[in-house]
């Protein structure tokens, strides 16, 4: 009796083989190649290439010649930067600009009053603290760049307003006004520097000091222009004449302590050819301020 037969009369099929064994051939070899790990092998090879490149880069960086070249280049860059800073500070000491903008509201108001009414002021000497001049906000006699810079900008704006009231305004003409005022200012400072060099004056005046003293005339120019716009041409001439006299006195009393000898600063008689040249130079710088004030404003009032 066949015990593998069922009641239905059919013989029971043998159990199915395992999945892996069904894929084998008659000789036990695998019919299909397993490629499930094929993607991992190229990645491993790529990482090895990256490691090789990293080792090559490290070897280049660790090369003594490369390190020497990098050190030499950095030393050249630092020397060039020091040379540029040194030569630039000879003409425009950038590191001292912060001193010339150390102002406050009290200083600005007193300085503006001194520029317009310098006749009653007595002490014109700059105060020092440990051989260093104090900041402008502590001494009204100290030069600053805030008032000249704001005066220049305000002058350009008032000039544009004056041109607009005469139907002559244009961006090009306003640019001409600003550029001409700036060029004349630079020419004035360069002329003073050349004169100081020719006269061989030993003074502590810097280029920024001369720029500040030359820029104070914009205050009087603004006063004259505003008076002319509000009250007409006669008011322009009267106010400009007052401001020209004020800036002349201010420049004389300020620069004579810088350019003349110690004897002149104490009020004694100035003697000697060199002191005479210094006095003439001071008078020339002071006299140039009213000329520039009139030259830069007369055509704006009609």
């Amino acid at each position: 009796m066949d015990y593998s037969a069922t009641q239905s009369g059919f013989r029971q099929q043998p159990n199915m083989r395992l999945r892996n064994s069904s894929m084998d051939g008659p000789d036990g070899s695998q019919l299909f190649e397993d490629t499930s790990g094929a993607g991992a092998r190229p990645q491993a090879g790529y990482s090895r290439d990256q490691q090789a490149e990293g080792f090559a880069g490290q070897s280049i960086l660790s090369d003594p010649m490369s390190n020497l070249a990098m050190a030499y280049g950095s030393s050249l860059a630092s020397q060039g930067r020091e040379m540029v800073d040194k030569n630039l500070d000879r003409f425009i000491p950038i590191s001292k600009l912060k001193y010339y903008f150390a102002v406050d509201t009290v200083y600005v108001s007193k300085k503006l009053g001194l520029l317009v009414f310098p006749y009653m002021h007595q002490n014109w000497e700059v105060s020092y603290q440990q051989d260093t001049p104090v900041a402008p906000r502590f001494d009204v006699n100290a030069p600053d760049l805030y008032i000249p810079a704001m005066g220049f900008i305000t002058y350009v704006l008032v000039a544009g307003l004056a041109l607009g009231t005469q139907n002559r305004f244009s961006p090009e003409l306003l640019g001409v006004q600003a550029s001409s005022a700036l060029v004349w200012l630079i020419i004035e400072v360069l002329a003073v520097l050349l004169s100081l060099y020719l006269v061989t004056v030993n003074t502590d005046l810097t280029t920024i000091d001369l720029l500040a003293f030359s820029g104070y005339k914009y205050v009087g120019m603004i006063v004259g222009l505003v008076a002319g716009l509000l009250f007409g041409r006669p008011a322009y001439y009267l106010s400009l004449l007052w401001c020209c006299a004020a800036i002349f006195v201010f420049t004389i009393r300020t620069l004579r302590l810088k350019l003349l000898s110690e004897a002149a600063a104490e009020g004694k008689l100035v003697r000697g050819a060199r002191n005479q040249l210094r006095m003439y130079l001071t008078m020339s710088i002071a006299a140039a301020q009213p000329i520039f004030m009139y030259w830069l404003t007369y055509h704006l009032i009609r």
Side-chain angles (χ1 to χ4, degrees):
M1 183 175 180
D2 191 359
Y3 293 98
S4 61
T6 59
Q7 294 179 359
S8 59
F10 295 97
R11 187 177 180 178
Q12 186 177 5
Q13 297 293 332
N15 295 330
M16 299 294 294
R17 298 180 61 184
L18 294 175
R19 184 175 181 182
N20 293 337
S21 62
S22 62
M23 298 176 62
D24 297 339
D27 54 353
S29 62
Q30 189 174 0
L31 293 178
F32 302 99
E33 182 180 0
D34 187 7
T35 60
S36 60
R41 286 191 294 271
Q43 294 179 357
Y46 181 71
S47 62
R48 286 195 296 270
D49 294 339
Q50 285 183 338
Q51 292 177 359
E53 293 177 358
F55 293 150
Q58 293 177 0
S59 64
I60 292 175
L61 293 177
S62 61
D63 188 6
M65 294 300 295
S66 300
N67 295 333
L68 182 61
M70 293 176 62
Y72 183 70
S74 60
S75 65
L76 282 180
S78 61
Q79 291 177 1
R81 183 172 59 253
E82 292 176 358
M83 185 177 298
V84 171
D85 295 339
K86 182 179 180 180
N87 293 330
L88 188 61
D89 285 341
R90 291 175 57 188
F91 301 98
I92 301 178
I94 303 299
S95 58
K96 296 182 180 180
L97 284 178
K98 185 178 180 180
Y99 164 81
Y100 292 92
F101 285 94
V103 300
D104 55 8
T105 306
V106 177
Y107 168 82
V108 172
S109 59
K110 289 183 178 180
K111 194 74 170 187
L112 292 177
L114 183 61
L115 291 172
V116 180
F117 300 98
Y119 310 104
M120 303 302 294
H121 192 66
Q122 298 297 329
N123 184 16
W124 292 87
E125 295 182 359
V126 179
S127 301
Y128 282 81
Q129 184 178 7
Q130 298 180 356
D131 298 334
T132 303
V134 298
R137 63 175 176 267
F138 301 118
D139 186 11
V140 71
N141 296 322
D144 71 285
L145 283 180
Y146 177 80
I147 293 178
M150 294 297 103
F152 177 80
I153 296 174
T154 307
Y155 160 73
V156 175
L157 296 177
V158 175
L161 179 62
L163 294 174
T165 56
Q166 302 168 15
N167 295 325
R168 296 189 298 146
F169 176 81
S170 66
E172 293 79 10
L173 189 56
L174 186 62
V176 169
Q177 294 293 327
S179 59
S180 62
L182 184 60
V183 168
W184 280 114
L185 180 64
I186 295 174
I187 292 176
E188 180 185 355
V189 173
L190 292 178
V192 174
L193 289 175
L194 180 60
S195 301
L196 292 176
Y197 174 77
L198 295 177
V199 180
T200 63
V201 177
N202 294 324
T203 178
D204 58 350
L205 280 175
T206 63
T207 306
I208 300 183
D209 292 333
L210 296 176
L211 191 65
F213 291 133
S214 300
Y216 286 140
K217 62 177 171 287
Y218 291 115
V219 176
M221 294 164 57
I222 295 169
V223 173
L225 287 175
V226 172
L229 290 175
L230 294 177
F231 305 105
R233 199 171 184 85
Y236 159 75
Y237 282 113
L238 290 176
S239 59
L240 187 65
L241 181 61
W242 176 274
C243 293
C244 287
I247 198 65
F248 180 83
V249 173
F250 173 85
T251 306
I252 287 289
R253 294 184 178 180
T254 302
L255 292 183
R256 76 183 187 93
L257 299 177
K258 300 289 185 179
L259 300 182
L260 299 180
S261 61
E262 296 181 357
E266 294 175 359
K268 300 179 181 179
L269 294 177
V270 179
R271 297 177 181 178
R274 179 170 296 180
N275 285 336
Q276 291 291 336
L277 289 176
R278 294 178 181 180
M279 185 181 64
Y280 294 150
L281 179 59
T282 305
M283 297 288 292
S284 300
I285 296 173
Q289 306 305 312
I291 296 175
F292 283 114
M293 292 172 64
Y294 177 75
W295 176 260
L296 294 173
T297 55
Y298 80 97
H299 59 282
L300 297 175
I301 302 297
R302 290 184 179 179

